[in-house]
């Protein structure tokens, strides 16, 4: 309770759900207070001429924590009471509401005597998604290097570089433009970059290997790009932030990929 009171005082949390269980020190003070009040009341009643038989309040000393959670006052808190290990260690989960400073609360718990641990699922998932995002970026870099190597094997250096630059620029555009618009990069936007890379490579290779039927290729790629933009562009209007960023990243990447692929075609790459 003292830790929660300190956290509230420092405005780290707004409130917390605690069981109505006090420490032994507070229990003894309350017990003494009740006994004093009972005896004082008995004396006042006797002074009024009333015959009373009031004795001091006797608390059942055999009641333990487990018994409390089995009785009516503690049933609502029972799901948060945990017994674990062969030695039957006891723990209680305290629900925090309005957590404002998780890092400050962690530091407070570290400098407090007792076995306390802050379980912040939001923070845990943030770290998990951050690791996945970094892994996805690493995969993207590996994919870019692999594409460049394959194009160098398949084409001459000049043509390989020209075929590689449009997908690279489309990936960079899809990464930078949303950031300039105020959207933060996340796992879903990085995943969209992998799709942008694959689509950009397809558009560029279609144009670079269809010199005899370039008009048919232009028509087919244009229809493909339009249908993809229309289907994925709808995601921009989603109320879910992750879906909106995913759709925006894909739409920008596909549009830039198509424009750059057409430019390469007009230069007869």
């Amino acid at each position: 309770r003292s830790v929660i009171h300190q956290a509230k005082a420092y405005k780290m949390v707004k409130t917390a759900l605690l069981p109505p269980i006090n420490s032994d020190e507070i229990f003894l003070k309350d017990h003494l207070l009740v006994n004093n009040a009972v005896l004082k009341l008995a004396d006042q009643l006797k002074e009024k001429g009333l015959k009373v038989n009031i004795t001091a309040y006797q608390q059942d000393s055999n009641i333990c924590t487990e018994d409390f959670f089995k009785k009516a006052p503690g049933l609502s808190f029972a799901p948060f009471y945990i017994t674990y290990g062969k030695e039957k260690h006891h723990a209680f989960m305290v629900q925090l509401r309005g957590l404002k400073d998780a890092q400050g609360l962690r530091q407070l718990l570290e400098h407090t005597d007792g076995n306390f641990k802050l379980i912040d699922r939001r923070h845990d998932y943030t770290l998990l998604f951050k690791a996945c995002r970094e892994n996805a970026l690493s995969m993207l870099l590996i994919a870019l290097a692999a594409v460049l190597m394959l194009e160098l094997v398949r084409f001459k250096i000049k043509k390989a570089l020209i075929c590689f630059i449009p997908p690279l620029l489309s990936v960079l555009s899809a990464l930078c433009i949303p950031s300039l618009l105020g959207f933060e990069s996340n796992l879903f936007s990085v995943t969209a970059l992998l799709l942008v890379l694959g689509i950009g490579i397809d558009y560029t290779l279609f144009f670079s290997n269809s010199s005899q039927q370039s008009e048919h290729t232009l028509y087919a790629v244009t229809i493909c790009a339009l249908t993809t933009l229309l289907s994925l562009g709808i995601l921009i209007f989603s109320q879910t932030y992750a879906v909106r960023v995913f759709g925006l990243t894909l739409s920008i990447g596909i549009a830039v990929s198509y424009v750059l692929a057409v430019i390469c075609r007009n230069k007869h790459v």
Side-chain angles (χ1 to χ4, degrees):
R1 290 179 179 272
S2 60
V3 176
I4 298 299
H5 291 324
Q6 292 181 35
K8 290 181 179 179
Y10 291 115
K11 297 182 179 181
M12 296 177 182
V13 295
K14 185 176 181 181
T15 184
L17 181 62
L18 292 170
I21 301 177
N22 294 321
S23 63
D24 292 339
E25 181 181 357
I26 297 177
F27 170 76
L28 292 176
K29 290 181 179 179
D30 293 341
H31 191 190
L32 181 61
L33 181 63
V34 171
N35 280 334
N36 291 336
V38 168
L39 295 176
K40 185 177 180 180
L41 177 61
D43 294 338
Q44 292 176 351
L45 292 176
K46 289 178 180 179
E47 291 178 356
K48 299 295 183 180
L50 298 176
K51 295 181 179 181
V52 294
N53 185 16
I54 300 178
T55 58
Y57 173 71
Q58 299 293 330
Q59 172 67 29
D60 186 2
S61 59
N62 295 325
I63 294 180
C64 62
T65 305
E66 293 183 353
D67 295 331
F68 170 78
F69 289 109
K70 293 178 181 179
K71 296 181 182 295
L75 287 177
S76 59
F77 298 94
F80 305 103
Y81 178 70
I82 303 173
T83 303
Y84 63 95
K86 295 182 179 179
E87 300 180 357
K88 292 187 177 181
H89 297 287
H90 304 281
F92 186 82
M93 293 186 295
V94 178
Q95 287 185 312
L96 302 179
R97 298 175 181 175
L99 181 61
K100 299 179 180 179
D101 186 4
Q103 185 62 29
L105 183 57
R106 287 191 184 89
Q107 295 178 357
L108 177 63
L109 295 178
E110 290 176 358
H111 295 83
T112 303
D113 295 334
N115 189 11
F116 300 100
K117 182 180 179 181
L118 177 62
I119 302 176
D120 187 0
R121 291 304 182 192
R122 181 179 180 182
H123 178 71
D124 295 339
Y125 285 130
T126 300
L127 295 178
L128 177 62
F129 282 121
K130 180 181 179 181
C132 293
R133 184 175 70 250
E134 293 175 352
N135 292 334
L137 284 173
S138 300
M139 293 175 59
L140 179 63
L141 294 176
I142 294 174
L144 286 170
V147 169
L148 179 59
M149 292 178 62
L150 291 174
E151 289 183 345
L152 288 174
V153 173
R154 176 65 176 81
F155 306 112
K156 295 181 180 180
I157 296 178
K158 182 179 179 181
K159 186 174 182 179
L161 291 176
I162 295 177
C163 291
F164 176 74
I165 288 175
L168 176 62
L169 292 178
S170 63
V171 170
L172 294 177
S173 300
L175 180 64
C176 296
I177 294 178
S179 299
L180 295 176
L181 296 176
F183 293 92
E184 295 182 0
S185 176
N186 53 33
L187 175 63
F188 300 95
S189 61
V190 175
T191 305
L193 295 178
L194 296 172
L195 297 176
V196 169
L197 175 62
I199 293 173
I201 293 171
D202 288 342
Y203 289 171
T204 305
L205 291 180
F206 287 155
F207 283 127
S208 63
N209 291 282
S210 59
S211 57
Q212 295 180 355
Q213 297 180 346
S214 58
E215 296 299 330
H216 294 83
T217 303
L218 176 62
Y219 177 77
V221 173
T222 301
I223 296 299
C224 180
L226 288 176
T227 54
T228 305
L229 285 173
L230 290 175
S231 58
L232 296 177
I234 300 176
L235 299 178
I236 298 176
F237 303 100
S238 173
Q239 297 297 324
T240 306
Y241 179 80
V243 176
R244 186 163 66 249
V245 174
F246 180 81
L248 179 63
T249 303
L250 269 179
S251 300
I252 293 174
I254 293 172
V256 174
S257 298
Y258 174 77
V259 172
L260 294 178
V262 172
I263 293 175
C264 292
R265 167 186 175 272
N266 293 335
K267 292 185 177 181
H268 301 286
V269 177

